[in-house]
Structures are given as structure tokens and as C-alpha cells.
Amino acid sequence: MHFHSIKHNKNIPIFKSFNMYQSNSMKTSNYLVSLLLLISSLVVALAGSFHQEFDITWGYDRVKILENGQLLTLSLDRTSGSGFKSKRQYMFGKIDMKIKLVPGNSAGTATTYYLSSLGPTHDEIDFEFLGNVSGEPYILHTNVYTQGKGDKEQQFYLWFDPTKDFHTYSILWNPRSIIFSVDGTPIRQFKNLEATNGIPFPKNQPMWLYSSLWNAEGWATRGGLVKTDWSKSPFIASYRNFNAQTCVSSSFCSKNSTANSWMNESLDNSGQARIKWVQKNYMIYNYCTDTKRFPQGFPRECSLN
């Protein structure tokens, strides 16, 4: 784990006898509280190894953690897929992961990377990568669930081959909005319109980070028309450079807003222009334009987000 250093002024005797501070007990108390808050804010902002930050949840012998914890690979074969989950829950966060997707004929496979709480009224923020036959593009599938209800799918092609190298996939989740980004380019924003328009927004349930590689041949490629070619297995997806700036509670982040500037982050004019560029050139499905699915009218957020 890479710890940020806390420089200590050698003229400040932090560890001397408490008796020396009896006359300044209030100052000492305030100092210790501030120090604890600083340490707490650092803890939730650390980028740890996969050993330290995640638990393997299934397909145990198909998960490999390499390079002293800096590289993780998931594997899928005819018997089983595999997956992992963060050790901690996050209540808002700015999360990055570099992923290299299954190369070659990946039809029928789904690689997932998402935040989720538990239960029938769970919240969820999804990246899903749907494989394809060799030479055909991956589909990046996104969705947002609030209080157990999703149905907010947007899908994209990527402007690069995601199997040739690692690329950074990011989720920014704060009280203002959810922003999905690829290599720093925002591709989708879901705004918090709950107070003004009554549209539910994930804001009360902490979530774990999950990832998995599994057989989704029933729907992943051309709606399930193209099946998994098991002669190409094992299929392998690779992960590195996990980084998370997160909070254990919304109140904690609010009280430390200077250290957690991402809590107020939103898209500027440049970000809005980049989203429009991506959606104009690479979006292949948007629930907000699917008239067959919503013959009585689109969901309210479609005209506001």
C-alpha cells in the first residue's frame, strides 16, 4: 500500500509525556482530533494492493493476484467464472480501475465492474463489457439502479481496442451526480434531481465495489444469438492500478470537503462537450430514445439529464 507521508516537525514533541500538556489539554485534544481526521481521510484515499483491498468471492482457483498484489486476473472456463469484491463499503467515491478485457473471440462473455449495495431495494452503478467475435467491437453497457429499480441502460462502442492494453474506467459518485468516464473522458452523467423533480438518486446506501467475468451467452452478444466458443477458453480479463477516493459516510465527506474536492465535482463546459462527442459518435443504445420500450413517454430524467 502506498501511504502518503505525514511530515513531522521535530520541534513539536508529539510523543512526550501527557503531563507536559495538562495546562493545554484543550489544544492537545483538538490536535489529536484533527490528526485522527487527517489519518481517516488518508485511509479512504489510499490505493492498496489487490490483496489488501479485495476479497475473492467465487471461482477462487480462477483468480490470480500477481506482481506483489498490483495485478489481478479473472478467468472463465466451461466450469466457472470468477469474481472479487472490495473489503470496504463506500458512501460516495471517485474510483478508477485499469482493465484489459478478454482478447480474441470473447463472444458470450461479460466482464463486470460495478458498485452495489444489497437487498431488494439496492442501489447500483454498472460498467459491463459485453464480448464479441474476433474483429467485432466490444459493447460497453452502463446502468444505474436506485431503490432496486434500474432500466436506465446506455451502451457504447469504444474508440480503441480494449483488449490490446489497459484503459482506465472511472466512476465518480457524489451527491450531485454520477459520472462514468473512460481514460478521463466522461461518457455519461446521471444527475441528482431528487430534491427538485422527485427522481430517485443513490444517496443513502453504501456500496461495495464488485467485478466478475462470467458466461452471459444467453444475452451478451447480439442478444444471445452468438454463443460462447469454449474451445477458446480460458478467457482472461486483467486488472491493475485500483485507486479510490471514498468516504465512509456522506457527513464525513461534507465535514472534510477541502480534502475531498471530488464531492463537489461536476462537468464543466469541456466535460459537457466531450460527453456530447462520445454520445454522438459512439453511443449505440439509449433508453431515453427507445420509443418501443416507452410508448407512453420517456422517464422524466431523460429530458433533464
Side-chain angles (χ1 to χ4, degrees):
M1 181 175 287
H2 305 292
F3 288 92
H4 298 281
S5 60
I6 303 176
K7 292 184 179 179
H8 168 50
N9 185 337
K10 62 184 179 181
N11 295 317
I12 301 176
I14 296 176
F15 299 109
K16 287 187 177 181
S17 169
F18 180 74
N19 291 331
M20 296 179 61
Y21 293 96
Q22 285 182 334
S23 62
N24 296 294
S25 59
M26 184 61 70
K27 291 182 179 179
T28 301
S29 176
N30 290 339
Y31 173 80
L32 291 175
V33 169
S34 299
L35 181 61
L36 287 172
L37 285 173
L38 173 61
I39 292 171
S40 297
S41 66
L42 288 174
V43 166
V44 296
L46 293 177
S49 74
F50 285 100
H51 286 298
Q52 294 169 316
E53 297 294 340
F54 296 97
D55 291 321
I56 300 169
T57 51
W58 62 294
Y60 296 90
D61 57 344
R62 292 167 179 80
V63 183
K64 297 186 184 304
I65 300 178
L66 309 165
E67 298 181 7
N68 196 31
Q70 300 306 302
L71 173 67
L72 182 148
T73 63
L74 295 180
S75 178
L76 165 68
D77 57 32
R78 189 186 292 272
T79 303
S80 177
S82 51
F84 61 88
K85 171 187 173 184
S86 62
K87 292 181 183 289
R88 291 190 291 240
Q89 289 178 293
Y90 311 126
M91 187 66 232
F92 300 120
K94 187 173 185 179
I95 299 171
D96 303 324
M97 184 83 80
K98 284 187 176 290
I99 305 174
K100 183 164 66 174
L101 298 174
V102 174
N105 184 353
S106 58
T109 70
T111 305
T112 69
Y113 162 59
Y114 63 101
L115 290 167
S116 184
S117 57
L118 300 177
T121 58
H122 74 289
D123 296 335
E124 192 171 315
I125 304 170
D126 289 346
F127 272 115
E128 296 185 59
F129 305 91
L130 310 183
N132 215 328
V133 294
S134 299
E136 296 297 318
Y138 259 83
I139 291 176
L140 171 52
H141 175 99
T142 66
N143 202 354
V144 176
Y145 284 75
T146 307
Q147 299 173 16
K149 182 175 174 54
D151 301 329
K152 299 177 179 63
E153 300 91 344
Q154 290 183 355
Q155 295 182 338
F156 306 82
Y157 288 143
L158 294 165
W159 49 95
F160 53 83
D161 183 345
T163 73
K164 296 297 185 183
D165 204 351
F166 288 89
H167 292 269
T168 303
Y169 302 92
S170 305
I171 297 170
L172 172 62
W173 169 40
N174 66 24
R176 303 181 69 174
S177 66
I178 296 163
I179 299 173
F180 299 79
S181 299
V182 178
D183 287 338
T185 296
I187 64 170
R188 177 179 185 179
Q189 181 180 36
F190 186 81
K191 297 177 183 176
N192 183 356
L193 303 170
E194 189 163 352
T196 56
N197 292 277
I199 298 166
F201 183 84
K203 68 183 191 307
N204 297 318
Q205 301 186 71
M207 300 194 233
W208 283 274
L209 178 66
Y210 294 85
S211 192
S212 62
L213 175 58
W214 61 289
N215 177 28
E217 66 177 3
W219 69 279
T221 308
R222 294 183 59 198
L225 295 177
V226 182
K227 302 301 183 183
T228 306
D229 182 355
W230 293 110
S231 71
K232 306 298 183 183
S233 68
F235 303 100
I236 296 174
S238 303
Y239 301 75
R240 63 167 67 251
N241 289 76
F242 165 72
N243 185 67
Q245 302 173 62
T246 65
C247 287
V248 294
S249 71
S250 57
S251 61
F252 177 88
C253 276
S254 299
K255 292 175 182 177
N256 295 273
S257 57
T258 301
N260 301 295
S261 59
W262 55 268
M263 275 287 283
N264 296 309
E265 189 174 330
S266 60
L267 292 179
D268 57 14
N269 290 337
S270 173
Q272 295 285 358
R274 285 186 290 167
I275 272 192
K276 290 179 180 178
W277 173 78
V278 171
Q279 296 193 350
K280 177 182 178 181
N281 293 284
Y282 296 99
M283 179 181 280
I284 58 173
Y285 177 80
N286 183 2
Y287 76 109
C288 285
T289 61
D290 191 339
T291 54
K292 292 183 179 178
R293 186 175 175 187
F294 300 104
Q296 305 303 318
F298 300 120
R300 283 180 298 160
E301 69 268 14
C302 291
S303 61
L304 301 169
N305 268 295

